[in-house]
Amino acid sequence: MTTPFSGTATGRAGDRAARKPHLAVVGATGAVGSVLLGILSERADVWGEIRLIAAPSSQLRSGRGDSHSRSAGRKLTVRGEEVEVLALSEEVFDGIDIAMFDVPDEVAVQWAPVAAAKGVVVVDNSAAFRLDPDVPLVVPEVNAHAARVRPRGIVANPNCTTLSMIVALGALHAEYGLSELVVSSYQAASEAGTAGVDTLRSQLAAVSGTELGTTPGDVRRAMGDTLGPFPAPVALNVVPWAGSLQEDGWSSEELKVRNESRKILGLPALRVSVTCVRVPVITAHSLAVHARFENEVTVAGAHEILASAPGVVVCDDPEAGEFPTPADVVGTDPTWVGRVRRSLDDPRALELFVCGDNLRKGAALNTAQIAEVIAADMAA
């Protein structure tokens, strides 16, 4: 599948419609990159060459911890064929039309403009460009049109927490007009990459079969130095923190949800308040959402909107014990919605519970969907 590098940005423009676009995956050996390769193999084959590129870091953004030198030269399977992983350089973008980046922010800042300067459209999964006014922040089910205007040649993929809810909220906003969000997230360990997953599994093993969790501090003492990327034990616990400390006690993760939701929905003054919580779940984020709208809402109307929205599945029958949970939705693509209720005190507000796989729609799938939108435009 790997072919010699050839062509220039101007030389490729005329023949794009006559062939499938060529794709590069930068950071292909990371946890999200691995999921992305599977998604590329599952979805419609819209690609010509797929070129796999290692991230130039000893610690990939998605936590695999696989060094650049060891990654280059490996072979990974995509679309049923083995493809050699290449080292990142300017030359690897020769002949490429679209590049998906899953790399640390600092790597994206350095290399995304390099690729864009060679005529490559970059779909970036880092936080480096999400709030740049010249970089669209895209969720295809909500604002696919935004991907067509890209002054810097870069399109940004939102944070996984935002993505776990925004498809459902976008559908409701289109009908009712969203005016306010109050969100509590319940975030999986895999958001912190392989290190997060390994930490949670080791902690679960440490508490299994014990009577820990019955006296103050006993769980923390049992963990010792196995906290990994988390500030407190996750096993037998919830941790009201994700991200880094920002002004006035907010976390970076909370501000991402606020700022990204505003940008995706085109609501720069949207009132948003978020509390992010880490929970002992391997993969799949959950969010409890209080959404207030400009117009009066009904549960039946919300169910109808959500049931017909692309990328959303309604699972909402509490009497039968049916509502989304991370253990049930992990490994699936949609946003799952349940516990839909009209607020007891406000006829314009809905309460709902949403779940989504943070490695699939929350990262890899949305990246692939953005790239497919751009590929379709190129073909047209």
Side-chain angles (χ1 to χ4, degrees):
M1 181 177 296
T2 303
T3 61
F5 308 147
S6 61
T8 64
T10 54
R12 295 198 311 271
D15 73 340
R16 276 174 171 162
R19 62 165 174 80
K20 293 179 178 180
H22 299 324
L23 175 71
V25 180
V26 184
T29 59
V32 172
S34 299
V35 174
L36 183 52
L37 297 189
I39 286 173
L40 289 173
S41 300
E42 296 164 5
R43 293 176 67 81
D45 184 7
V46 301
W47 304 109
E49 177 190 354
I50 296 181
R51 196 173 294 170
L52 307 184
I53 303 167
S57 170
S58 61
Q59 190 73 22
L60 297 179
R61 188 186 68 81
S62 43
R64 191 181 183 92
D66 196 9
S67 77
H68 181 51
S69 59
R70 291 200 307 270
S71 296
R74 292 176 54 189
K75 289 189 176 181
L76 300 175
T77 301
V78 59
R79 296 190 302 185
E81 298 185 35
E82 284 194 338
V83 180
E84 183 176 339
V85 178
L86 307 174
L88 181 56
S89 67
E90 290 190 31
E91 290 72 24
V92 297
F93 297 109
D94 291 344
I96 293 296
D97 300 301
I98 301 171
M100 302 177 184
F101 275 58
D102 184 66
V103 297
D105 293 0
E106 63 273 15
V107 178
V109 167
Q110 178 182 355
W111 284 96
V114 171
K118 296 177 78 72
V120 178
V121 179
V122 174
V123 182
D124 180 48
N125 193 34
S126 79
F129 303 102
R130 288 173 183 157
L131 300 183
D132 187 320
D134 290 328
V135 175
L137 185 65
V138 176
V139 181
E141 296 91 339
V142 179
N143 65 337
H145 62 279
R148 299 188 177 96
V149 182
R150 38 183 192 267
R152 297 189 61 180
I154 301 169
V155 179
N157 192 55
N159 175 264
C160 57
T161 314
T162 306
L163 277 166
S164 296
M165 69 172 186
I166 203 68
V167 177
L169 289 176
L172 293 170
H173 167 61
E175 179 67 23
Y176 295 126
L178 187 64
S179 63
E180 183 177 4
L181 279 176
V182 180
V183 178
S184 293
S185 72
Y186 308 93
Q187 296 179 217
S190 59
E191 184 187 27
T194 303
V197 173
D198 291 346
T199 296
L200 176 55
R201 291 196 185 281
S202 67
Q203 291 183 1
L204 291 172
V207 302
S208 178
T210 72
E211 296 184 1
L212 291 169
T214 58
T215 60
D218 62 351
V219 173
R220 185 182 290 272
R221 288 191 295 272
M223 296 301 100
D225 59 356
T226 63
L227 295 182
F230 309 122
V234 180
L236 300 183
N237 204 18
V238 297
V239 183
W241 189 259
S244 58
L245 180 63
Q246 304 296 304
E247 189 175 356
D248 295 328
W250 293 95
S251 79
S252 58
E253 191 79 6
E254 291 159 350
L255 296 181
K256 285 176 186 177
V257 175
R258 172 183 171 88
N259 295 329
E260 292 173 15
S261 297
R262 288 174 158 189
K263 185 172 181 178
I264 294 163
L265 297 174
L267 298 172
L270 180 67
R271 296 188 296 273
V272 184
S273 183
V274 185
T275 299
C276 290
V277 181
R278 188 77 64 187
V279 295
V281 169
I282 298 296
T283 297
H285 287 350
S286 305
L287 301 97
V289 178
H290 169 87
R292 192 173 193 275
F293 300 90
E294 298 292 344
N295 302 301
E296 189 168 330
V297 297
T298 66
V299 171
H303 274 168
E304 183 177 356
I305 292 164
L306 293 169
S308 61
V312 177
V313 172
V314 176
C315 177
D316 193 11
D317 186 357
E319 185 176 359
E322 293 183 0
F323 32 71
T325 73
D328 295 318
V329 311
V330 62
T332 68
D333 291 337
T335 297
W336 294 75
V337 183
R339 298 298 320 281
V340 180
R341 294 146 288 151
R342 190 164 82 162
S343 176
L344 294 174
D345 303 308
D346 188 347
R348 295 183 179 182
L350 286 172
E351 318 296 331
L352 55 151
F353 190 79
V354 299
C355 287
D357 187 310
N358 54 293
L359 297 182
R360 292 187 69 85
K361 181 58 178 176
L365 176 61
N366 201 71
T367 302
Q369 288 175 307
I370 295 170
E372 289 169 1
V373 168
I374 297 167
D377 285 346
M378 288 179 175

